[in-house]
Amino acid sequence: MSLFGLKFGKKKLKEEERQLQANNRDFNLQFEYANNSIKTSKYNFFTFLPLNLFEQFQRIANAYFLFLLILQNRHKSDKHVNNRPVQVLINGMLKDEKWMNVQVGDIIKLENNNFVTADLLLLSSSEPHSLTYIETAELDGETNLKVKQALTVTAELGEDLQKLTEFNGAVKCEAPNNKLDKFTGTLTLQGEKYALDNEKMLLRGCTIRNTEWCFGLVIYAGPDTKLMQNSGKTTFKRTSIDRLMNVLVLVIFAFLALMCLILAIGNGIWEYDKGCYFQVYLPWAEGVNSASYSGFLMFWSYVIILNTVVPISLYVSVEIIRLGNSFYIDWDRKMYYPLNDTPAQARTTTLNEELGQIKYIFSDKTGTLTQNIMCFNKCSINGKSYGDVYDMSGQRIEINENTEKVDFSYNQLADPKFAFYDHSLVEAVKLSDVPTHRFFRLLSLCHTVMPEEKKEGNLVYQAQSPDEGALVTAARNFGFVFRARTPETITVVEMGETKIYKLLAILDFNNVRKRMSVIVRSPEGDLTLYCKGADTILYELLHSSCDSLKEETTEHLNEFAGEGLRTLVVAYKNLDEDYFQDWIRRHHEASTALEGREDKLSELYEEIEKDLMLLGATAIEDKLQDGVPQTIETLAKANIKIWVLTGDKQETAMNIGYSCNLLNDDMEDVFIIEGSTSDDVLNELRNARKKMKPDSFLDSDEINIQFQKSSKNPNVIPDEQANGVYGLVITGHSLAYALEGNLELELVRTACMCKVVICCRVTPLQKAQVVELVKKYKKAVTLAIGDGANDVSMIKTAHIGVGISGQEGMQAVLSSDFSFAQFRYLQRLLLVHGRWSYIRMCKFLKYFFYKNFAFTLVHFWYGFFSGFSAQTVYDEWFITLYNLVYTSLPVLGMSLFDQDVDDRWSMLFPQLYVPGQQNLYFNKMVFVKCMLQGIYSSLILFFIPYGAMYNTMRSDGKAIADYQSFALMAQTCLLIVVSVQIGLDTSYWTVVNQFFIWGSLSVYFAITFTMYSDGMYLIFTASFPFVGTARNTLSQPNVWLAIFLSITLCVLPVVGFRFLKAQLKPTPSDKVLLKIKEAKKRPPPPSPKRRLRRTSTRRSGYAFSHQHGFGALIMSGRNMRPKSPFATTGTFSPNSDKHKHKGL
């Protein structure tokens, strides 16, 4: 039974298999499948209080803040999603329903650009053969289109509501799971069974594209969908300082108990030995009949008096500091992105200081590092490179927003968003340069792009990969417009003249061939094979006459690759008619063979793709977000390791790794882990580790010793240093083996020795598992950053989750702790806000503990001189106001405004970030030092005033050696000492700091003289007994001399220690701060804007797609729509008739 989100009754059994019937809710309800409502918030109305209390009570002594955290604002986003409309087939009619009311077994209708409501079995669609095109960006980060196809038996249902209503197929399938690329089931219809696989499933999180409508049967709903199965669990996040505070509070409680025990024992001894002599005027309290019982009662009295050592008010101050530092992030204009009006946002106020301790960053690629926009950037045609821009003196100039673009206005079919800057290329096209025309003709013909032209001249290309779309768009703008296709023809408008090529064969791309070819017959009857692919593959297929051109093209390829561009070689071959007829006959036989079909086709492809004539090469830029290489370079200097976790394939991920300076040729090696078995993966990981650190296999190795001592795996693996700089790339299939129990330690040891790790083809759940693995075995703070729904699980798993407001919706932002619009803002978030927050929090904690120990332990020493009677040293009003008024604002001022260096120097010297990673500024040892400093100060603050007051006379002969004068002197010394101490701790003085410190001292003296005045005594005699003490005591020179001596003795050791430490044993941070101090004397010139370039001999092979190509689908005609009415007319003329293309 479910009530307001709370589950009662018997525990639900684990689902082993799913059964459902279409259009039969009564049947399906008996299995109690989840409905389509989702929940990503931590709490509901009933669970908020107990769960929030549980979270807060993880901070010991935090019982005062039951309502500190408010309900997270995720209900609003859940409500928005759950209330989206969808058309559901009910009783023969399509009715608008909310997503949350959709149930397993329902048939729903989706239209173009709709989000998929639940995990559906595709039944039928508007496209030929019931194909449906989808975009899976929110699932795997890929924006290229994927195609799904319904079973023939259900495709016949079409959009006939009567037939769909009568459809009563029964489905048996696997239980809900998180495997995005796998689905197994059967459909039983009219006694016949049909196999179901992932190619027939539309998953929640996908978007319908290029398809007018489709119908689907709900298989999994709500939390059972693969998207939600991969989304991870929302966990409570606490900082390392919070966890340390729990330990320290326990230590302080123990210390408090020890002090009270000592004083209680002292009281028992004193009462037994001395107290009997004072019974006349100091009798025991009623009911106390022994010294031991008196000591017992005195224990609890001292618990009350010394309770100020327990940092109760600290928790309030910590939350105020965190809230203030969160506002700084929200208000930072340098993290505001004006293009889409997106400011940075701190979505939590409890994790700020953890931003200053990040050691590992786990980043998505698509939409996070890249803009997911492919641009035709450069090309090489017949030995000439195009794309660079030169000035009048022949010097290459950098392209920016002010560079003049090529004017394509002569081409009415040009894409207005396409930009190119080298005017010489368009001139070559207009002059009918034969190789240039052949080059762009190849780009317009050799692909599997599908065109869509709903209005004349308004062409939209649906490409299987963004690369193909970029190449076809380039050809379109340079005058070779791919306009339409049928299974047998391709229509291209060449320089204003419409030409229809016969498409005879598509030799499709796969991961082994790394190339694709088309064979076409031109209108003039010429047979030509056009081929494009990776240079390493195509170079082996070139005719020997191309050797000199190959050398020139290779130089250009190296230049392109050096700039991180994705390169591709293009070539062609004229075919003999007789040979081709024989080849196409054998091709038909091979394509219809029942056995060895793939091998036979591969042999035929190899046979015809020989002796190719080289045309040139293309260079595509997978546009990075602005500032990504610089950000990565800066973060690397801060000793932060970056792991890229992406759903993209290996080649694409590595290309981006090189583009953004994660990988470079200066590395000793980049290991590729791609084993297909557990043993293969283990061997590859061990071989990599052996190369990086051979000693790690010796019995004397520190970690190996840990293994030998313990039968279980160690909790924390120390950092290991490799003998050079290495990178590691691992595929999702291999990662699945590496994440198994017996291999995970090997993966952690090997990967963490590398500077960069790239995990490709990983599922959302694997991303979270990788993050969890590092959290488990490394004593390090992790951060995950992404922009899509496929990143939500790792964002939730990491210590800090950052969401980017990108093109893939707001799921990542809604699940994140911090959010902004661009990856480059990450360096400011960490190196400025994170480091400042960490330093401020550490300074606050050190000062807070110091002032509390100094304040409280004076009571302890006083106990030895007061018969252990639990008499307080200070006036009760001073005790009340000490933390509340006198010392609260100065420490808050320091904790909100202090900075050792400003933001500019923080970014210029990222090495300043390292101490936070090592937790140097506040740890158990630092706490012990604060404790010892507090004990030392308390000794000074008690014994100097005590000695100064002992048997002392005023200048007029009157005695001032009384309790009130001693108390006033002690508390005045204490307040001035802690004020001087916070002045020493403050690095950045502001008007606010000055006002708080001097204001607090002024308020203290004003209140003291007021409370100790005659008037207050007359009005409130019992409350203000220290009448006249202030003016009598503080008017004596010897009192101020003693105060000065106390201040000097308390502060001098601190100043001396800091000076000697900086001189004799400076930390790396001290050295950097010294450099900055010297640099401030002679401010450096503004750093020149530079474009990071890398030199590389590695050329990136072309990433056609993540799957096998669409060639077979196109040739079959199953995905073809009726011919566009605009496809056969030429609509522009670039020049005069003499510049029109002639048959080549």
Side-chain angles (χ1 to χ4, degrees), residues 668-694:
E668 298 288 336
D669 200 353
V670 177
F671 304 110
I672 310 293
I673 309 299
E674 50 187 355
S676 55
T677 66
S678 181
D679 290 338
D680 290 344
V681 173
L682 178 62
N683 290 332
E684 289 175 350
L685 288 171
R686 284 184 172 172
N687 289 338
R689 179 159 63 91
K690 189 171 185 179
K691 183 171 182 179
M692 289 189 288
K693 188 182 179 184

mmCIF file of all heavy atoms in Angstrom, residues 668-694:
data_model
loop_
_atom_site.group_PDB
_atom_site.id
_atom_site.type_symbol
_atom_site.label_atom_id
_atom_site.label_comp_id
_atom_site.label_asym_id
_atom_site.label_seq_id
_atom_site.Cartn_x
_atom_site.Cartn_y
_atom_site.Cartn_z
ATOM 1 N N GLU A 668 55.099 10.043 -22.359
ATOM 2 C CA GLU A 668 55.912 8.851 -22.582
ATOM 3 C C GLU A 668 55.128 7.806 -23.380
ATOM 4 O O GLU A 668 55.661 7.157 -24.261
ATOM 5 C CB GLU A 668 56.342 8.254 -21.234
ATOM 6 C CG GLU A 668 57.202 9.167 -20.377
ATOM 7 C CD GLU A 668 58.598 9.320 -20.929
ATOM 8 O OE1 GLU A 668 59.051 8.413 -21.660
ATOM 9 O OE2 GLU A 668 59.238 10.355 -20.650
ATOM 10 N N ASP A 669 53.848 7.685 -23.043
ATOM 11 C CA ASP A 669 53.017 6.701 -23.740
ATOM 12 C C ASP A 669 51.560 6.968 -23.396
ATOM 13 O O ASP A 669 51.250 7.564 -22.368
ATOM 14 C CB ASP A 669 53.400 5.282 -23.316
ATOM 15 C CG ASP A 669 52.949 4.229 -24.325
ATOM 16 O OD1 ASP A 669 52.220 4.603 -25.276
ATOM 17 O OD2 ASP A 669 53.318 3.056 -24.185
ATOM 18 N N VAL A 670 50.682 6.552 -24.291
ATOM 19 C CA VAL A 670 49.236 6.566 -24.037
ATOM 20 C C VAL A 670 48.767 5.126 -24.169
ATOM 21 O O VAL A 670 48.777 4.540 -25.249
ATOM 22 C CB VAL A 670 48.482 7.468 -25.032
ATOM 23 C CG1 VAL A 670 46.975 7.386 -24.773
ATOM 24 C CG2 VAL A 670 48.951 8.912 -24.918
ATOM 25 N N PHE A 671 48.400 4.528 -23.050
ATOM 26 C CA PHE A 671 48.011 3.118 -23.031
ATOM 27 C C PHE A 671 46.565 2.967 -23.500
ATOM 28 O O PHE A 671 45.688 3.724 -23.076
ATOM 29 C CB PHE A 671 48.150 2.535 -21.627
ATOM 30 C CG PHE A 671 49.536 2.681 -21.044
ATOM 31 C CD1 PHE A 671 49.770 3.545 -19.986
ATOM 32 C CD2 PHE A 671 50.598 1.960 -21.557
ATOM 33 C CE1 PHE A 671 51.025 3.691 -19.450
ATOM 34 C CE2 PHE A 671 51.867 2.091 -21.035
ATOM 35 C CZ PHE A 671 52.087 2.964 -19.976
ATOM 36 N N ILE A 672 46.320 1.987 -24.343
ATOM 37 C CA ILE A 672 44.967 1.676 -24.823
ATOM 38 C C ILE A 672 44.548 0.353 -24.205
ATOM 39 O O ILE A 672 45.170 -0.688 -24.452
ATOM 40 C CB ILE A 672 44.916 1.579 -26.361
ATOM 41 C CG1 ILE A 672 45.568 2.797 -27.013
ATOM 42 C CG2 ILE A 672 43.471 1.413 -26.818
ATOM 43 C CD1 ILE A 672 44.837 4.086 -26.791
ATOM 44 N N ILE A 673 43.516 0.381 -23.379
ATOM 45 C CA ILE A 673 42.990 -0.830 -22.747
ATOM 46 C C ILE A 673 41.716 -1.219 -23.487
ATOM 47 O O ILE A 673 40.695 -0.538 -23.377
ATOM 48 C CB ILE A 673 42.699 -0.605 -21.251
ATOM 49 C CG1 ILE A 673 43.901 0.015 -20.542
ATOM 50 C CG2 ILE A 673 42.287 -1.919 -20.590
ATOM 51 C CD1 ILE A 673 45.152 -0.810 -20.566
ATOM 52 N N GLU A 674 41.785 -2.280 -24.267
ATOM 53 C CA GLU A 674 40.625 -2.671 -25.074
ATOM 54 C C GLU A 674 40.449 -4.186 -25.093
ATOM 55 O O GLU A 674 39.938 -4.757 -26.050
ATOM 56 C CB GLU A 674 40.779 -2.133 -26.499
ATOM 57 C CG GLU A 674 42.118 -2.443 -27.154
ATOM 58 C CD GLU A 674 42.294 -1.744 -28.484
ATOM 59 O OE1 GLU A 674 41.330 -1.098 -28.940
ATOM 60 O OE2 GLU A 674 43.390 -1.846 -29.063
ATOM 61 N N GLY A 675 40.885 -4.860 -24.031
ATOM 62 C CA GLY A 675 40.752 -6.315 -23.957
ATOM 63 C C GLY A 675 39.308 -6.759 -23.978
ATOM 64 O O GLY A 675 38.421 -6.087 -23.456
ATOM 65 N N SER A 676 39.076 -7.915 -24.558
ATOM 66 C CA SER A 676 37.711 -8.432 -24.680
ATOM 67 C C SER A 676 37.397 -9.510 -23.648
ATOM 68 O O SER A 676 36.296 -10.043 -23.625
ATOM 69 C CB SER A 676 37.491 -8.999 -26.090
ATOM 70 O OG SER A 676 38.472 -9.966 -26.395
ATOM 71 N N THR A 677 38.383 -9.825 -22.801
ATOM 72 C CA THR A 677 38.157 -10.779 -21.709
ATOM 73 C C THR A 677 38.779 -10.214 -20.438
ATOM 74 O O THR A 677 39.606 -9.292 -20.482
ATOM 75 C CB THR A 677 38.775 -12.153 -21.995
ATOM 76 O OG1 THR A 677 40.220 -12.023 -22.025
ATOM 77 C CG2 THR A 677 38.295 -12.718 -23.326
ATOM 78 N N SER A 678 38.405 -10.803 -19.325
ATOM 79 C CA SER A 678 38.930 -10.338 -18.046
ATOM 80 C C SER A 678 40.449 -10.499 -17.981
ATOM 81 O O SER A 678 41.160 -9.609 -17.503
ATOM 82 C CB SER A 678 38.264 -11.125 -16.913
ATOM 83 O OG SER A 678 38.728 -10.699 -15.662
ATOM 84 N N ASP A 679 40.951 -11.613 -18.493
ATOM 85 C CA ASP A 679 42.400 -11.842 -18.472
ATOM 86 C C ASP A 679 43.133 -10.847 -19.364
ATOM 87 O O ASP A 679 44.214 -10.364 -19.007
ATOM 88 C CB ASP A 679 42.711 -13.274 -18.917
ATOM 89 C CG ASP A 679 42.268 -14.308 -17.887
ATOM 90 O OD1 ASP A 679 42.121 -13.927 -16.701
ATOM 91 O OD2 ASP A 679 42.059 -15.468 -18.268
ATOM 92 N N ASP A 680 42.562 -10.547 -20.515
ATOM 93 C CA ASP A 680 43.199 -9.575 -21.419
ATOM 94 C C ASP A 680 43.305 -8.200 -20.759
ATOM 95 O O ASP A 680 44.348 -7.535 -20.833
ATOM 96 C CB ASP A 680 42.392 -9.450 -22.724
ATOM 97 C CG ASP A 680 42.488 -10.697 -23.578
ATOM 98 O OD1 ASP A 680 43.399 -11.514 -23.333
ATOM 99 O OD2 ASP A 680 41.648 -10.863 -24.483
ATOM 100 N N VAL A 681 42.224 -7.785 -20.127
ATOM 101 C CA VAL A 681 42.222 -6.474 -19.472
ATOM 102 C C VAL A 681 43.246 -6.447 -18.335
ATOM 103 O O VAL A 681 43.997 -5.474 -18.174
ATOM 104 C CB VAL A 681 40.813 -6.138 -18.941
ATOM 105 C CG1 VAL A 681 40.834 -4.858 -18.110
ATOM 106 C CG2 VAL A 681 39.836 -6.004 -20.097
ATOM 107 N N LEU A 682 43.301 -7.526 -17.568
ATOM 108 C CA LEU A 682 44.262 -7.599 -16.463
ATOM 109 C C LEU A 682 45.694 -7.490 -16.980
ATOM 110 O O LEU A 682 46.512 -6.740 -16.422
ATOM 111 C CB LEU A 682 44.067 -8.905 -15.691
ATOM 112 C CG LEU A 682 45.029 -9.147 -14.525
ATOM 113 C CD1 LEU A 682 44.872 -8.058 -13.461
ATOM 114 C CD2 LEU A 682 44.804 -10.535 -13.919
ATOM 115 N N ASN A 683 45.999 -8.219 -18.027
ATOM 116 C CA ASN A 683 47.355 -8.174 -18.587
ATOM 117 C C ASN A 683 47.696 -6.792 -19.129
ATOM 118 O O ASN A 683 48.811 -6.289 -18.938
ATOM 119 C CB ASN A 683 47.498 -9.225 -19.700
ATOM 120 C CG ASN A 683 47.481 -10.644 -19.166
ATOM 121 O OD1 ASN A 683 47.878 -10.877 -18.018
ATOM 122 N ND2 ASN A 683 47.024 -11.589 -19.971
ATOM 123 N N GLU A 684 46.743 -6.160 -19.811
ATOM 124 C CA GLU A 684 47.002 -4.825 -20.361
ATOM 125 C C GLU A 684 47.243 -3.810 -19.240
ATOM 126 O O GLU A 684 48.133 -2.953 -19.337
ATOM 127 C CB GLU A 684 45.830 -4.380 -21.236
ATOM 128 C CG GLU A 684 45.728 -5.152 -22.549
ATOM 129 C CD GLU A 684 44.486 -4.783 -23.351
ATOM 130 O OE1 GLU A 684 43.625 -4.073 -22.800
ATOM 131 O OE2 GLU A 684 44.370 -5.204 -24.517
ATOM 132 N N LEU A 685 46.454 -3.898 -18.165
ATOM 133 C CA LEU A 685 46.639 -2.979 -17.045
ATOM 134 C C LEU A 685 47.982 -3.206 -16.359
ATOM 135 O O LEU A 685 48.689 -2.250 -16.017
ATOM 136 C CB LEU A 685 45.498 -3.146 -16.033
ATOM 137 C CG LEU A 685 44.124 -2.618 -16.457
ATOM 138 C CD1 LEU A 685 43.050 -3.043 -15.472
ATOM 139 C CD2 LEU A 685 44.131 -1.100 -16.581
ATOM 140 N N ARG A 686 48.340 -4.462 -16.184
ATOM 141 C CA ARG A 686 49.613 -4.762 -15.508
ATOM 142 C C ARG A 686 50.806 -4.360 -16.370
ATOM 143 O O ARG A 686 51.817 -3.867 -15.848
ATOM 144 C CB ARG A 686 49.681 -6.245 -15.168
ATOM 145 C CG ARG A 686 48.810 -6.604 -13.969
ATOM 146 C CD ARG A 686 48.943 -8.051 -13.564
ATOM 147 N NE ARG A 686 48.259 -8.311 -12.307
ATOM 148 C CZ ARG A 686 48.072 -9.519 -11.792
ATOM 149 N NH1 ARG A 686 48.510 -10.588 -12.455
ATOM 150 N NH2 ARG A 686 47.452 -9.671 -10.641
ATOM 151 N N ASN A 687 50.695 -4.567 -17.668
ATOM 152 C CA ASN A 687 51.793 -4.151 -18.562
ATOM 153 C C ASN A 687 51.984 -2.636 -18.510
ATOM 154 O O ASN A 687 53.110 -2.139 -18.531
ATOM 155 C CB ASN A 687 51.498 -4.602 -19.995
ATOM 156 C CG ASN A 687 51.613 -6.104 -20.166
ATOM 157 O OD1 ASN A 687 52.294 -6.774 -19.375
ATOM 158 N ND2 ASN A 687 50.947 -6.653 -21.169
ATOM 159 N N ALA A 688 50.858 -1.913 -18.444
ATOM 160 C CA ALA A 688 50.947 -0.455 -18.349
ATOM 161 C C ALA A 688 51.608 -0.048 -17.038
ATOM 162 O O ALA A 688 52.494 0.820 -17.004
ATOM 163 C CB ALA A 688 49.557 0.163 -18.469
ATOM 164 N N ARG A 689 51.199 -0.680 -15.948
ATOM 165 C CA ARG A 689 51.775 -0.330 -14.635
ATOM 166 C C ARG A 689 53.250 -0.698 -14.563
ATOM 167 O O ARG A 689 54.061 0.026 -13.971
ATOM 168 C CB ARG A 689 50.988 -1.021 -13.520
ATOM 169 C CG ARG A 689 51.524 -0.739 -12.125
ATOM 170 C CD ARG A 689 50.470 -0.988 -11.063
ATOM 171 N NE ARG A 689 50.046 -2.362 -10.995
ATOM 172 C CZ ARG A 689 50.621 -3.287 -10.193
ATOM 173 N NH1 ARG A 689 51.637 -2.956 -9.425
ATOM 174 N NH2 ARG A 689 50.156 -4.521 -10.173
ATOM 175 N N LYS A 690 53.601 -1.804 -15.201
ATOM 176 C CA LYS A 690 55.005 -2.226 -15.186
ATOM 177 C C LYS A 690 55.890 -1.225 -15.908
ATOM 178 O O LYS A 690 57.036 -0.969 -15.503
ATOM 179 C CB LYS A 690 55.125 -3.602 -15.843
ATOM 180 C CG LYS A 690 56.502 -4.251 -15.686
ATOM 181 C CD LYS A 690 56.479 -5.686 -16.159
ATOM 182 C CE LYS A 690 57.820 -6.354 -15.886
ATOM 183 N NZ LYS A 690 57.814 -7.774 -16.312
ATOM 184 N N LYS A 691 55.355 -0.624 -16.978
ATOM 185 C CA LYS A 691 56.138 0.370 -17.705
ATOM 186 C C LYS A 691 56.245 1.664 -16.912
ATOM 187 O O LYS A 691 57.295 2.314 -16.901
ATOM 188 C CB LYS A 691 55.501 0.642 -19.068
ATOM 189 C CG LYS A 691 56.295 1.626 -19.916
ATOM 190 C CD LYS A 691 55.769 1.723 -21.327
ATOM 191 C CE LYS A 691 56.624 2.687 -22.158
ATOM 192 N NZ LYS A 691 56.161 2.787 -23.553
ATOM 193 N N MET A 692 55.161 2.039 -16.236
ATOM 194 C CA MET A 692 55.171 3.303 -15.491
ATOM 195 C C MET A 692 55.979 3.210 -14.197
ATOM 196 O O MET A 692 56.653 4.159 -13.807
ATOM 197 C CB MET A 692 53.728 3.730 -15.161
ATOM 198 C CG MET A 692 52.923 4.189 -16.365
ATOM 199 S SD MET A 692 51.336 4.908 -15.896
ATOM 200 C CE MET A 692 50.434 3.444 -15.384
ATOM 201 N N LYS A 693 55.900 2.045 -13.529
ATOM 202 C CA LYS A 693 56.600 1.894 -12.256
ATOM 203 C C LYS A 693 56.957 0.423 -12.059
ATOM 204 O O LYS A 693 56.199 -0.322 -11.426
ATOM 205 C CB LYS A 693 55.719 2.391 -11.105
ATOM 206 C CG LYS A 693 56.456 2.456 -9.768
ATOM 207 C CD LYS A 693 55.541 2.907 -8.652
ATOM 208 C CE LYS A 693 56.299 2.943 -7.328
ATOM 209 N NZ LYS A 693 55.423 3.279 -6.187
ATOM 210 N N PRO A 694 58.088 0.003 -12.589
ATOM 211 C CA PRO A 694 58.481 -1.414 -12.469
ATOM 212 C C PRO A 694 58.575 -1.883 -11.019
ATOM 213 O O PRO A 694 58.290 -3.043 -10.717
ATOM 214 C CB PRO A 694 59.857 -1.455 -13.156
ATOM 215 C CG PRO A 694 59.859 -0.267 -14.074
ATOM 216 C CD PRO A 694 59.045 0.782 -13.381
#
